[in-house]
Structures are given as C-alpha cells and as structure tokens.
Amino acid sequence: MKFLHFPLKDIFPESPKMNNEPIDPLISALRQIFGFDSFRPNQKEIITAILHNQDVFAIMPTGGGKSLCYQFPAVILPGLCVVVSPLLSLMKDQVDAACESGIRAETLNSVSTKDDFIRISRLMEKNELDLLYISPERFNSESFIPWIKQGKIAFFAVDEAHCISQWGHHFRPDYLGLSRITKEFPNVPLAVFTATATTFVANDIEKQLKLRNPFRVRASFDRPNLFYEVKFKNDLSSQLVNFLKTRGGQSGIIYRGTRKKVEETASMLVKKGFKAKAYHAGLSDQIRMKVQEEFLKDEVPIIVATIAFGMGIDKSNVRFVVHGDLPKNIESYYQETGRAGRDGLPAHCLLLFGYQDIALLESFIDDLPEGKIKHAEERQLQEMIRFADTEQCRRKSILAYFEENYPNENCGNCDFCTKKAVREDATVDCQKALSAMARTGCRFGITHLIDILLGADTEKIKTFRHNLLKTWGIGKNRTKKFWRQLFNTMLSKDLIQWDKQCKFPVPLITDKGKKVLFGKEKVELVLRPDEKKSSSQVLLTDENIKDQLLFDRLRVLRKEIAQEKHIFPYNVFTDKSLQDMVRIKPKNMSEMQLVQGMGRSKIKAYGKLFLNAIIEFLGEKK
Ligand code: ADP
Ligand code: MG
Ligand code: ZN
C-alpha cells in the first residue's frame, strides 16, 4: 500500500457533518491539496471515473483545469500516475506547480540521466511518488516499458492528446507510439486530455489511442472570462500603443503574421518605452528560451511573436492577447486567444485587421497546389473573415464555428454585446457607396472606394483619374470608420459580395444591391458608436489605489520567492490568490485559509510570509 503523505483519514474523514450536510470527501481533499473550494465543470466526474478504473476521454478548453483531473487521483490512488506531455518546458512547469501543492512529482525525458532513473526507481519502490511526467520519446524508448512495469501504475494520462493526430495543428510523430499503452497495460486505465475542438481530430485521437469504452466528456468551449474585441486596423502602431497604455504593466502576447512584422512591432514598442521582446522561429534556440523564461517570470510583460510562441506556455496570468494581423482560421485564433486568462480572471482579446490582411492570406492560399487542403484553407479563411467582419456577438460566432450553440442573446463580454446599438436609415449612404462601385466598374477594393467617397487625393486616385468621378468626395460628411462599417453591413446583408474570380478582395453589386441602388429597397444600419470599457479593464485597473498598491507589494513578494526557488511566479500563487488576499485582507492564519489556492502545502510554505506582508502594509497605510 502506498504511503500517503496526505493521510486517507484526512481526505476521507469519517463522515463528518456540517449543518447536517455530510462533507463531500472529494471536496475536502480538493481544499486540502489545492486550496480550491469547488470543482470546475466536469472535473469531479472525470476524477470519479478514474477512481473507478475507467478510461477517460476529456475535451476541455484551455484553462478548463485539465491537469487537476489527473493530479488529484494521482495523489489519492495507491500507485503512480504516468503522464505523457509533449514539451520539456511544460513538464517542468507542471512538476513545479505540483510540488508547490505538495504532490510528489518527477520527470523523465530525453535529457534525464541514469542517476535520475535510479533515484526515481527508489521513490517508486518506497511508494513515494505520485506523478511521473514523461516525454513521448521516453515512452517509445526500448527500455522504458519493462522498467516502468516494475512499479505499480495507478493509471496513465496523456495530456495535449491532439499531438497524436495528423489532422491537428501540432502533430508529433512520437505520439503515435502511445497507441501501445492499452496493449502493454491492459489493466491500467488511460485518461486522455485535449483542448482540440474539432470533432474530426477528436475521433482520430480516440481511435489512435484505442480507448476502452471511455468516460467521454466534451466541455463547453466558451471562455466566459475572455473579452473579445475586433477593430479595423488603420494605424497599427498607435492602436497598439493606446491599447497597451490601458493595461498597466500586465502580461500579454501580441501576435503578428511574419517575423519581419514581429521585429518591427517589438522595436516600435521598445522605442515608445514599453518592456517588450520579440519571439519567432528565426531567433536562436537560446534567445527564444531566454525570452520565454523572462515572460514566464514576469520580467518582460509583453511578447511580440509569430504563432511559434505559445504551445509551451501554461502561464496562468496572461491578461491580454492581441492579433495585429488576421489569423488564418478560427481554430488558430481560438487557441491563441485561449492562452489569455487561464486563471479565470478577466482577460482581453483584441483582433486588429485590415482588408490587406485578407489579400495577403489569400495569396498564400493561391500558391498552394489544387486539392483538398487548398479548399479547406479557403473555407476556413472565409469563416475567419466572417467572424472578424460581421457585426454580431463574437462569442456566439466562435462557438458556432465549433458547432456549439450559445444560448444567450447577449454575452455581455464582447465588443458587440457591450456597445449601445443605434439604428439609422442608411439607404442614401448605401446608394453613394454602390454608385462609387458602379462608376469604377467594380474593379477596386474597399479601401480605394472609401478614398473616392472621402475625396482623397492618393496616387491611385490620380492614376485612374477617379477625382473626376461624380462620386468623388460625396461621402465627406461621414468618417472613414463609418464607411468601413457600411461596407461590412452591405456584405453581411448581401448587397455586395466578393468577386470570386478576382485575386484581391473586390466587391461586386448583387441583385439585392441593385434594388437599393435604384431606390426600390431601404437599408437600416446598426451603429455602435460609444464603446464601453471592457470589464477586464475596469476590474484590473482597480477602483481602489490602496488595493492596487497592496496587490503590487504581494506581486513583488511572489516574484522574490519564485526567483529564489527557480520556479515561475504563478506557480507560487496565481493572480486570483493574490486578488483574494487583497480582497479579504486576512488578519490571521485562519482567515488566510479563505484565500483560493491556499492548499495545506502552500499555507505551510508561504502563509506566514504573505500574512506578515499584508499586516505590515496595512499598518503603514493607516
Ligand atoms: P488546462 O490544462 O485545461 O488548460 P490548467 O490545468 O492549466 O488548464 O488549469 C488552469 C488554471 O485553473 C490553473 O491555474 C489551475 O490551478 C486552475 N484551476 C484548476 N481547477 C480549478 C478549480 N477547481 N478551482 C480553481 N482553480 C482551478
Ligand atoms: Mg494543460
Ligand atoms: Zn457577445
């Protein structure tokens, strides 16, 4: 029988009663180990299935709390949980986090030595290990299976399981070897976790890993704490600067489409006085590792990156993700924005896009050979454009892509749902725009059409002598932004549509559009002029300056501890825990226990330190 360093009687007390309600033993264990008061959706069901020796296939969004689903039973069950995880950095991070919660965890990967094996063998013999993280390469190595069979394995867990599917975004050939788990260990349950949302990939994972009548969970893909916002890109640099000015030193990622753009944006931000660094595949491994570390350690708050950045990032306090260019599909957009707000606190996702992005992405697709992949990418790009370019609830739109129906009319946490709608008859304006199209032979993109309406004096206008047109300057009474919105509305109302023959996005007038142009039909425009501040901004800039100061003080303490222990600050305490300390302002250790994330290992290690810091701060501020 495994030596339980969390004695069973603590975890399963003899049916104690509180207000005549029996305490749920799982909740009481959750409280003790992790310091959480309740399970996130599906966690309890998954844990229960594992405790009953059943295979599990869990699809849960990023930040849904997948790690806890295997870490928890790993502590409770006799024997060891072997977890396969794809990246060294992720493994180290998870092991650090687990150890902070008092869970006995180790890792074996490609850089492990013989001594590591000997040490871990000893721990296994003495039943002093809960979790063993391994890389897929390690599992595939010849000696591994016979070696691990000497120990008692409670269950296997495969994290980031989409890596096994060639249809997914992060296929890892080494994951294919994991299909041997069920054959080699017929009596050991296997729990599989992924955040992939496509049914196609999900089915593939289940088939490849040969799960045996698993307990299946598909959680909602809604991330209620993420605020989604899409804006037209008119001056990216100043839009970014203005956005970052409202973020007050928070951590965030800015994605750009190419290495060159990454470098440009990063140096622009540095010039403007922001602490930002670039990350892309063109930098040496050493530099990339350093940049990633500095980000994880809260030393560099802003990373400007290509999509090469992110897979190994489990940082829980990423407060914003900005896309400076249109992503090529909704799946990537969802994964990338998903890196924000893992801790459940408000986080902001801003997408800045312009029509030139569409043209660029289309030209990449054009270069692909004819076939299934090309058509799929074309379709996915159209979906992405629909998302960015249509006035509707962003959340509803993303979830619809994943075939999930969002039940509420207003999500209350996206740009569309938080702006006041004003209806306006826009028939005359539509006629002006349509006439600009008709008079130029429907051969020009929206940017140029707007220049004509506004009476601009660009080179292109001069070249084509469009300043001689009757429509040149007839839209001067309106702003550029208005015309952008109007063209969007015309697209979504099918008054115009993209010319499929043309390489660049050029709109054509539809039959419905002609009816409007000739005054046979009216158009109403929904304008959303005054933007409310996003909830994350309101919450994080904090109403109370004193509270903000205390938060900063605790943040410094967290960083000092992390530096000393060579772990990441969010593994000491999450932002949520610090916020709870600020809110509760505990005066003694028993009040300290009310803070989320104060499991018994953490309270022992850090409770006093933080309590003293709070008491000292409040004494000063009296
Ligand atoms: P995933 O792997 O699904 O993306 P993680 O396992 O990294 O998510 O968990 C994300 C964050 O949520 C972590 O900071 C974790 O501590 C926290 N968390 C997990 N379960 C709970 C819970 N029941 N209550 C509060 N926080 C939780
Ligand atoms: Mg995870
Ligand atoms: Zn919404």
Side-chain angles (χ1 to χ4, degrees):
M1 174 77 185
K2 172 171 155 174
F3 164 77
L4 276 165
H5 60 305
F6 289 102
L8 265 182
K9 65 175 171 38
D10 276 11
I11 290 173
F12 298 107
E14 284 161 21
S15 55
K17 302 249 161 111
M18 207 194 256
N19 305 331
N20 289 331
E21 286 277 321
I23 295 179
D24 181 340
L26 289 181
I27 295 280
S28 109
L30 179 71
R31 175 79 238 177
Q32 290 195 42
I33 306 166
F34 296 94
F36 300 145
D37 285 326
S38 57
F39 286 106
R40 294 248 176 96
N42 304 302
Q43 283 180 329
K44 190 174 175 184
E45 293 74 12
I46 293 170
I47 290 165
T48 308
I50 295 177
L51 294 177
H52 286 96
N53 277 326
Q54 196 181 354
D55 282 359
V56 167
F57 184 28
I59 306 174
M60 285 161 87
T62 306
K66 292 185 282 294
S67 325
L68 188 136
C69 296
Y70 56 79
Q71 291 178 344
F72 186 102
V75 176
I76 291 187
L77 286 170
L80 175 76
C81 166
V82 180
V83 190
V84 185
S85 169
L87 290 174
L88 281 185
S89 57
L90 272 184
M91 260 187 251
K92 176 183 177 324
D93 196 26
Q94 296 253 341
V95 168
D96 287 348
C99 292
E100 285 303 304
S101 295
I103 300 169
R104 301 163 306 180
E106 291 282 347
T107 137
L108 275 181
N109 48 52
S110 44
V111 296
S112 301
T113 60
K114 214 170 164 190
D115 284 349
D116 290 325
F117 271 91
I118 294 172
R119 186 169 44 82
I120 291 170
S121 286
R122 292 231 174 90
L123 291 173
M124 273 160 46
E125 267 164 35
K126 289 190 279 178
N127 283 321
E128 284 179 11
L129 193 59
D130 301 309
L131 274 171
L132 178 62
Y133 281 85
I134 59 166
S135 59
E137 294 85 347
R138 183 48 69 196
F139 180 85
N140 294 337
S141 71
E142 232 172 84
S143 56
F144 180 76
I145 291 180
W147 175 78
I148 195 77
K149 275 185 176 168
Q150 297 168 4
K152 171 157 177 48
I153 306 175
F155 64 103
F156 275 92
V158 175
D159 205 357
E160 315 286 351
H162 50 275
C163 293
I164 202 174
S165 174
Q166 311 195 26
W167 306 104
H169 285 301
H170 297 285
F171 175 55
R172 286 271 305 259
D174 282 318
Y175 258 62
L176 289 174
L178 304 179
S179 61
R180 284 159 59 214
I181 296 178
T182 44
K183 195 166 151 247
E184 292 283 349
F185 301 88
N187 299 317
V188 180
L190 169 59
V192 171
F193 299 88
T194 176
T196 198
T198 47
T199 345
F200 199 65
V201 175
N203 291 341
D204 194 32
I205 298 170
E206 194 175 329
K207 205 175 91 206
Q208 300 272 0
L209 287 171
K210 304 189 177 71
L211 298 179
R212 300 148 294 194
N213 186 26
F215 174 69
R216 292 188 189 84
V217 165
R218 189 190 164 90
S220 164
F221 271 75
D222 186 20
R223 300 281 310 277
N225 58 320
L226 299 189
F227 183 89
Y228 296 104
E229 179 176 35
V230 183
K231 279 185 163 173
F232 279 102
K233 182 160 65 173
N234 37 47
D235 176 359
L236 181 70
S237 297
S238 60
Q239 284 174 302
L240 284 176
V241 168
N242 289 337
F243 175 78
L244 294 175
K245 275 185 188 157
T246 66
R247 312 313 300 179
Q250 293 167 346
S251 278
I253 309 170
I254 298 171
Y255 284 110
R256 298 247 33 209
T258 62
R259 294 174 191 184
K260 190 162 158 260
K261 288 176 178 168
V262 165
E263 294 285 354
E264 279 167 13
T265 301
S267 59
M268 182 277 293
L269 290 176
V270 170
K271 267 193 208 118
K272 297 269 179 193
F274 292 98
K275 233 178 161 183
K277 286 211 172 161
Y279 184 106
H280 55 71
L283 299 169
S284 71
D285 284 357
Q286 213 180 357
I287 294 184
R288 277 190 298 167
M289 222 137 93
K290 183 159 173 280
V291 171
Q292 180 167 321
E293 286 259 330
E294 287 171 332
F295 181 61
L296 296 175
K297 287 181 177 162
D298 284 344
E299 284 162 9
V300 173
I302 303 165
I303 298 296
V304 188
T306 56
I307 52 168
F309 185 74
M311 171 70 169
I313 306 294
D314 255 4
K315 185 172 164 67
S316 69
N317 62 338
V318 175
R319 294 268 72 87
F320 61 86
V321 169
V322 179
H323 283 84
D325 303 286
L326 192 71
K328 55 183 213 173
N329 55 51
I330 293 190
E331 176 104 24
S332 328
Y333 174 72
Y334 179 81
Q335 294 294 347
E336 284 142 27
T337 51
R339 290 172 188 140
R342 274 173 188 262
D343 52 13
L345 292 176
H348 198 117
C349 308
L350 171 64
L351 164 61
L352 294 163
F353 96 106
Y355 289 111
Q356 66 277 24
D357 295 348
I358 301 177
L360 189 70
L361 290 172
E362 280 177 340
S363 72
F364 292 148
I365 295 178
D366 278 346
D367 291 342
L368 293 173
E370 276 307 321
K372 260 193 198 158
I373 294 184
K374 179 170 181 167
H375 294 148
E377 293 215 359
E378 264 166 359
R379 222 181 28 244
Q380 288 170 348
L381 178 60
Q382 285 314 313
E383 289 284 335
M384 188 68 226
I385 298 169
R386 179 189 58 78
F387 166 80
D389 211 11
T390 321
E391 286 280 313
Q392 61 175 320
C393 171
R394 311 287 175 195
R395 181 161 273 101
K396 216 178 175 64
S397 182
I398 293 177
L399 292 176
Y401 176 81
F402 296 124
E403 290 162 27
E404 186 177 330
N405 182 29
Y406 184 71
N408 306 340
E409 206 36 61
N410 186 312
C411 83
N413 205 22
C414 79
D415 54 354
F416 182 82
C417 292
T418 52
K419 286 180 217 164
K420 249 196 231 123
V422 186
R423 288 184 181 279
E424 202 178 289
D425 180 13
T427 313
V428 175
D429 292 310
C430 285
Q431 286 168 340
K432 288 180 182 173
L434 292 167
S435 136
M437 287 170 63
R439 282 174 195 275
T440 52
C442 291
R443 285 187 300 120
F444 293 90
I446 285 175
T447 310
H448 184 68
L449 292 167
I450 293 176
D451 282 342
I452 297 176
L453 289 162
L454 292 173
D457 199 17
T458 63
E459 278 308 309
K460 201 166 171 183
I461 298 235
K462 280 188 230 152
T463 313
F464 290 98
R465 296 161 66 92
H466 283 162
N467 49 341
L468 304 178
L469 293 174
K470 259 187 156 175
T471 38
W472 186 75
I474 54 168
K476 270 186 182 162
N477 58 327
R478 298 286 201 175
T479 61
K480 206 173 195 165
K481 189 174 162 206
F482 171 86
W483 289 113
R484 285 267 176 223
Q485 269 198 37
L486 188 84
F487 274 102
N488 276 327
T489 306
M490 293 203 298
L491 275 166
S492 66
K493 289 187 188 277
D494 290 328
L495 305 186
I496 58 178
Q497 66 184 34
W498 298 116
D499 182 354
K500 300 224 164 50
Q501 311 298 322
C502 188
K503 204 168 163 186
F504 301 104
V506 163
L508 297 177
I509 304 176
T510 62
D511 288 343
K512 208 169 157 201
K514 284 181 193 147
K515 284 188 190 150
V516 174
L517 182 59
F518 300 124
K520 292 191 185 123
E521 242 177 53
K522 283 193 170 306
V523 189
E524 229 181 30
L525 183 61
V526 183
L527 288 173
R528 295 181 179 265
D530 57 331
E531 297 182 20
K532 216 178 83 178
K533 270 196 177 162
S534 85
S535 52
S536 65
Q537 250 160 285
V538 176
L539 207 144
L540 287 157
T541 45
D542 237 315
E543 358 67 73
N544 190 324
I545 294 173
K546 189 167 129 190
D547 280 0
Q548 186 63 50
L549 287 174
L550 176 56
F551 184 82
D552 289 343
R553 171 85 63 101
L554 299 179
R555 197 152 62 161
V556 170
L557 178 57
R558 172 175 73 175
K559 202 163 137 184
E560 285 168 1
I561 294 173
Q563 268 164 355
E564 203 171 292
K565 296 189 74 173
H566 301 288
I567 57 178
F568 298 127
Y570 58 91
N571 283 337
V572 176
F573 281 121
T574 61
D575 278 11
K576 172 72 182 144
S577 298
L578 297 192
Q579 277 197 3
D580 265 11
M581 290 183 211
V582 171
R583 185 176 53 82
I584 297 168
K585 299 191 178 60
K587 288 188 279 306
N588 49 47
M589 288 297 268
S590 72
E591 284 179 14
M592 200 65 167
Q593 288 187 31
L594 301 172
V595 168
Q596 179 179 307
M598 270 296 171
R600 75 171 179 193
S601 168
K602 289 198 182 176
I603 198 149
K604 215 165 126 193
Y606 312 122
K608 276 249 158 60
L609 266 174
F610 279 80
L611 181 65
N612 290 344
I614 295 166
I615 292 172
E616 191 181 308
F617 176 89
L618 294 176
E620 284 166 23
K621 300 285 160 191
K622 248 183 199 153

